[in-house]
Amino acid sequence: MIIAPSILSADFGNLQKSIEQVKEAKWLHVDVMDGHFVPNISIGPVVIKGLRGYTKQVLDTHLMISDPAKYLKEFINAGSDRITFHIEATNDPIGVINLIREYGAKVGISIKPNTDVGSILDLIPLIDQVLVMSVEPGFGGQAFMENSLDKIRTLDTLRRELNKDLLIVVDGGINDKTAVFCKDAGANVLVAGSYVFSSDNPQSRMESLK
Ligand code: DX5
Ligand code: ZN
């Protein structure tokens, strides 16, 4: 199980210090919001470039933006290792997948809580990870939505049938209790923001999730 701290809940006044507190994490989850696809604005490629300057951790970039194809190159050049875009944000998912591959990053697709997992099943053979949103995207600190568990189970069954190395990532409302539900359903990566960074000791929160 990979625990990916979401820097959305870190201290943006001293990001380097926050990252230092979770230096044991293999992945850092980076939430990009454009104020259009979601009702919040967060960060862009310049911050990813800054992070890349002082960590070798995998930068797992979650694009909550409209028209993701337009910005892929900038995010990957800035240092994103993995790019996840939303199926709801594009009419040409295969085009977006191909561009991410061409620019040299791993590919993920995310689905919002009201999006059926059926909408991405045909794309699974083409990608590296699915990010199941277990809250409405846009903000940290919301409550976990249990309808995500059935989606995780469906994806877990499918990857067995396809014998495919697919990572199932869950994002939103992860804490020491909901983490167990997700693991039992088949998740491999848990994204956790407020649970990790609301503590004086983020490392101990990561260990409790593990
Ligand atoms: C929400 C983001 C999440 C967020 C999770 O739109 O995609 O990554 O940081 O925050 P918590 O863990 O607080 O629900
Ligand atoms: Zn996220």
Side-chain angles (χ1 to χ4, degrees):
M1 180 69 83
I2 295 173
I3 308 295
S6 168
I7 66 161
L8 190 64
S9 294
D11 176 4
F12 278 96
N14 196 342
L15 204 45
Q16 191 162 7
K17 185 174 162 220
S18 287
I19 303 310
E20 182 66 22
Q21 291 174 324
V22 293
K23 61 173 186 288
E24 305 297 327
K26 276 212 285 200
W27 290 24
L28 288 179
H29 183 83
V30 184
D31 287 307
V32 176
M33 306 178 182
D34 65 354
H36 184 257
F37 180 72
V38 288
N40 195 6
I41 298 176
S42 60
I43 58 149
V46 286
V47 176
I48 292 181
K49 194 171 173 204
L51 287 169
R52 186 77 295 164
Y54 55 79
T55 180
K56 292 191 163 43
Q57 285 158 298
V58 171
L59 298 180
D60 177 48
T61 301
H62 178 191
L63 294 182
M64 286 163 274
I65 64 174
S66 302
D67 199 4
K70 205 168 162 185
Y71 298 99
L72 297 171
K73 199 174 193 173
E74 277 178 79
F75 280 103
I76 295 165
N77 284 345
S80 295
D81 300 290
R82 312 182 74 96
I83 296 274
T84 294
F85 66 95
H86 269 267
I87 193 68
E88 305 88 356
T90 176
N91 294 321
D92 179 20
I94 294 180
V96 177
I97 292 168
N98 290 340
L99 278 176
I100 298 172
R101 293 251 181 255
E102 187 184 321
Y103 300 142
K106 298 282 188 194
V107 183
I109 296 184
S110 182
I111 50 174
K112 298 205 285 184
N114 290 328
T115 301
D116 199 277
V117 75
S119 65
I120 59 163
L121 292 186
D122 290 352
L123 301 167
I124 299 291
L126 307 176
I127 64 177
D128 304 295
Q129 67 191 57
V130 174
L131 187 155
V132 176
M133 284 302 309
S134 40
V135 297
E136 280 300 332
F139 299 91
Q142 304 179 75
F144 182 83
M145 295 169 77
E146 299 212 357
N147 74 338
S148 56
L149 296 173
D150 272 339
K151 296 182 189 180
I152 299 167
R153 288 186 202 106
T154 303
L155 290 163
D156 186 38
T157 305
L158 182 71
R159 72 178 160 184
R160 282 171 212 275
E161 283 168 11
L162 295 173
N163 197 15
K164 161 134 183 104
D165 223 1
L166 177 82
L167 292 176
I168 302 175
V169 185
V170 194
D171 184 6
I174 296 296
N175 56 38
D176 52 347
K177 293 181 186 65
T178 56
V180 180
F181 304 152
C182 295
K183 179 188 175 287
D184 289 348
N188 313 97
V189 183
L190 301 179
V191 174
S194 51
Y195 182 71
V196 169
F197 285 108
S198 66
S199 163
D200 290 339
N201 189 345
Q203 184 56 39
S204 75
R205 287 287 171 94
M206 289 203 18
E207 271 151 31
S208 96
L209 287 178
K210 270 236 150 105

